[in-house]
Amino acid sequence: MCRSNKSPWVCLTCSSVHCGRYVNGHAKKHYEDAQIPMTNHKKTEKQEKVQHTVCMDCSSYSTYCYRCDDFVVNDTKLGLVQKVREHLQNLENSAFTSDRHRKRKLLENSSMNSKLLKVNGSTTALCATGLRNLGNTCFMNAILQSLSNIQQFCCYFKELPAVELRNGKTAGRRTYHTRSQGDNNVSLVEEFRKTLCALWQGSQTAFSPESLFYVVWKIMPNFRGYQQQDAHEFMRYLLDHLHLELQGGFNGVSRSVILQENSSLTASSKCCINGASTVVTAIFGGILQNEVNCLICGTESRKFDPFLDLSLDIPSQFRNKRTKNQENGPMCTLRDCLRSFTDLEELDETELYMCHKCKKKQKSTKKFWIQKLPKVLCLHLKRFHWTAYLRNKVDTYVEFPLRGLDMKCYLLEPENSGPESCLYDLAAVVVHHGSGVGSGHYTAYAAHEGRWFHFNDSTVTLTDEETVVKAKAYILFYVERQAKSGSDKL
């Protein structure tokens, strides 16, 4: 209908092909038009079942029911859905499809001016690759795009040895995974590596991370299904599972051997969480000192806690300030959130401290110090909070610096740090658009080779610093500034 070659969906009832809802929505309109003849007479139970119109994404081979408004993971008794997948895969690998692909490339090249940028007077191609939305997976896409622009972290995974390709009939072919396959031999590290390798190659405008999402379903049950998830929660689960898998070795190569190839990751100052250090803790790992003082006898208790990110409250006095240019009251800054996190706090009645000297729970004060800063400082702004019945969003604008975030005043021993080691520059920002954690949409801004890009699922656009600083940040990734004369650089 619209001649679009983006996101083709085939109706499994009549075999007609239309574009998806994020293009022009003709596949959904086709379903709606098919329901009209049934509205004027009574439906029997059998007719009711027939109306579960199912279609298939020709790119990712996932199936979707418009009546249920959800993706379908099961099959018919005769395995008809899988047969359609195999047929589409055969078409994709045939010479006929290759010929159509060449013609499509010619069409893409004719419109290449939309992907060319002027940089320092010369023309360069926009090589950024988007990530397809597999059904409310924008939370995953935003985190993946942010991590892909943290260079040392990304390069480490891209340089890992790859798993050998399957032999036999499936060699070199894309395979579609379902939950019923029972494949326990999955590797999050390998699928994460392949996804990072697919980004920034410029060979395609969008990559479909269905293999990675399948592994996420297998090892992280909390993220099964296609409902919206919390991006920060996903990031923590992802980093934790990458860390655990790297500790156990990968592709037959010991984790310790891989780490020894990069001297910057085996420095004595690295942070260990749940055992030996990996690239996750070496880059994101820091150490907090938790200091608690009994207000009755003055006994001081100190505890050291490793962290991969810091979750910061937005101070209550700023919660009515929604936009950067709003005039009612002072502007909330990232420094205000950091100060609130590290300031001395008196614990309330529900958090009484068990004093070992007094032998009972007493009123006390608590204060955090940062003992060791990480190479990449991940700051999570706590925008969602529970009320009596629901989880609300704090929509306050928080001003944050693009360069030169100074963390020296939050250190336990600032005199032992160098002049550059406490300065951080922004690498990526994850933004939540919408009013609630179970709804809305996630996008990301990230810097790549001196330019800022906006990642909105499969769409990637060049943007500027003025746009980035206006964003209502949810997660901020700051990279330690490189020392001008140092040898240990990110």
Side-chain angles (χ1 to χ4, degrees):
M1 293 182 68
C2 58
R3 295 288 184 183
S4 174
N5 58 7
K6 296 178 180 178
S7 185
W9 290 72
V10 57
C11 175
L12 298 188
T13 302
C14 66
S15 299
S16 61
V17 180
H18 297 85
C19 64
R21 68 173 68 192
Y22 298 113
V23 184
N24 291 312
H26 287 128
K28 187 168 187 274
K29 187 176 185 304
H30 170 70
Y31 158 73
E32 292 169 346
D33 292 343
Q35 308 308 302
I36 295 174
M38 297 298 299
T39 57
N40 296 325
H41 58 275
K42 189 176 179 181
K43 304 175 189 176
T44 66
E45 185 180 348
K46 186 175 180 181
Q47 288 173 324
E48 185 81 15
K49 292 181 180 178
V50 172
Q51 294 309 303
H52 283 271
T53 306
V54 176
C55 56
M56 181 178 288
D57 186 341
C58 299
S59 301
S60 65
Y61 307 141
S62 55
T63 53
Y64 190 85
C65 176
Y66 274 110
R67 174 161 188 166
C68 300
D69 197 23
D70 200 1
F71 284 85
V72 181
V73 296
N74 58 324
D75 204 339
T76 65
K77 291 180 180 179
L78 299 177
L80 296 178
V81 175
Q82 185 60 27
K83 288 180 181 178
V84 175
R85 289 194 186 106
E86 291 172 356
H87 180 66
L88 289 174
Q89 286 175 331
N90 290 334
L91 285 176
E92 188 177 39
N93 295 326
S94 67
F96 171 72
T97 305
S98 297
D99 181 59
R100 290 187 64 187
H101 184 68
R102 282 195 295 270
K103 290 179 181 177
R104 190 179 301 167
K105 279 291 183 185
L106 289 174
L107 290 174
E108 289 176 358
N109 290 337
S110 66
S111 60
M112 193 63 184
N113 60 329
S114 63
K115 294 191 72 182
L116 295 179
L117 308 170
K118 287 284 185 179
V119 180
N120 296 329
S122 61
T123 304
T124 180
L126 174 62
C127 58
T129 300
L131 288 168
R132 290 193 181 96
N133 192 314
L134 306 178
N136 282 328
T137 56
C138 55
F139 68 93
M140 178 178 74
N141 293 346
I143 293 298
L144 293 175
Q145 292 286 12
S146 298
L147 295 177
S148 76
N149 286 284
I150 298 173
Q151 292 307 311
Q152 189 180 19
F153 185 71
C154 178
C155 290
Y156 172 86
F157 285 94
K158 289 164 76 172
E159 291 169 3
L160 285 174
V163 172
E164 292 183 4
L165 290 174
R166 292 171 177 260
N167 295 321
K169 294 182 179 180
T170 59
R173 277 173 49 183
R174 174 171 52 186
T175 56
Y176 184 89
H177 300 286
T178 63
R179 283 190 287 182
S180 60
Q181 284 180 292
D183 182 9
N184 294 321
N185 240 350
V186 296
S187 170
L188 179 64
V189 172
E190 168 63 7
E191 294 305 332
F192 185 66
R193 182 196 68 81
K194 288 194 290 190
T195 302
L196 293 181
C197 288
L199 303 176
W200 294 106
Q201 290 185 345
S203 57
Q204 53 186 335
T205 55
F207 174 75
S208 185
E210 67 260 24
S211 295
L212 175 62
F213 195 43
Y214 163 73
V215 175
V216 168
W217 275 28
K218 293 289 288 186
I219 65 177
M220 305 180 202
N222 290 6
F223 296 96
R224 286 180 184 169
Y226 295 93
Q227 65 271 26
Q228 182 65 279
Q229 302 280 1
D230 182 65
H232 174 251
E233 185 180 358
F234 172 75
M235 182 197 75
R236 285 306 312 268
Y237 270 89
L238 178 67
L239 292 179
D240 287 345
H241 280 83
L242 288 172
H243 172 65
L244 290 173
E245 190 172 317
L246 287 168
Q247 281 184 320
F250 175 65
N251 290 347
V253 181
S254 170
R255 174 206 53 78
S256 58
V257 172
I258 298 172
L259 277 177
Q260 286 170 8
E261 294 175 2
N262 192 330
S263 60
S264 66
L265 300 184
T266 56
S268 59
S269 61
K270 67 195 173 197
C271 174
C272 298
I273 299 175
N274 296 329
S277 176
T278 67
V279 66
V280 176
T281 54
I283 289 181
F284 289 96
I287 300 175
L288 278 177
Q289 177 180 289
N290 184 357
E291 194 174 281
V292 180
N293 286 278
C294 176
L295 290 177
I296 305 302
C297 68
T299 299
E300 184 179 277
S301 172
R302 293 180 182 177
K303 184 174 137 187
F304 294 97
D305 297 313
F307 68 87
L308 295 179
D309 70 310
L310 297 177
S311 290
L312 311 177
D313 281 306
I314 297 174
S316 57
Q317 66 265 31
F318 298 109
R319 291 190 179 177
N320 291 326
K321 183 106 175 177
R322 299 297 182 90
T323 63
K324 184 174 182 179
N325 299 322
Q326 194 171 329
E327 295 180 359
N328 58 331
M331 175 80 66
C332 181
T333 67
L334 186 59
R335 188 167 293 279
D336 291 318
C337 300
L338 284 165
R339 192 180 299 115
S340 175
F341 179 78
T342 56
D343 273 353
L344 188 69
E345 172 191 2
E346 183 172 338
L347 300 177
D348 59 31
E349 295 290 336
T350 62
E351 299 177 291
L352 292 178
Y353 162 66
M354 183 64 190
C355 179
H356 296 291
K357 188 174 180 180
C358 298
K359 307 282 187 199
K360 62 179 181 178
K361 290 186 176 182
Q362 301 282 29
K363 286 188 175 182
S364 59
T365 59
K366 180 180 73 173
K367 181 173 176 60
F368 284 119
W369 295 95
I370 299 177
Q371 192 208 39
K372 175 190 173 291
L373 284 165
K375 291 180 180 293
V376 174
L377 179 64
C378 179
L379 300 176
H380 161 234
L381 298 178
K382 294 161 76 171
R383 290 198 173 273
F384 301 105
H385 67 97
W386 288 100
T387 61
Y389 301 103
L390 71 161
R391 200 177 185 188
N392 288 331
K393 181 181 177 182
V394 179
D395 205 30
T396 304
Y397 171 77
V398 178
E399 189 176 48
F400 55 90
L402 289 178
R403 301 175 191 84
L405 174 65
D406 193 350
M407 295 295 293
K408 194 166 188 174
C409 61
Y410 310 108
L411 281 177
L412 181 63
E413 298 174 341
E415 65 277 2
N416 295 336
S417 59
E420 293 284 325
S421 61
C422 299
L423 293 178
Y424 287 81
D425 298 322
L426 190 65
V429 187
V430 173
V431 181
H432 178 267
H433 310 267
S435 58
V437 67
S439 60
H441 183 60
Y442 287 99
T443 65
Y445 293 95
H448 185 82
E449 296 180 353
R451 294 176 294 178
W452 280 94
F453 292 86
H454 184 217
F455 298 91
N456 183 3
D457 288 335
S458 58
T459 303
V460 183
T461 54
L462 190 68
T463 187
D464 52 36
E465 294 183 351
E466 289 74 18
T467 302
V468 176
V469 296
K470 291 177 182 176
K472 292 182 181 178
Y474 181 47
I475 306 172
L476 297 147
F477 296 88
Y478 280 94
V479 177
E480 183 183 39
R481 182 173 291 181
Q482 300 176 11
K484 294 180 181 179
S485 59
S487 58
D488 182 17
K489 295 184 177 181
L490 281 179

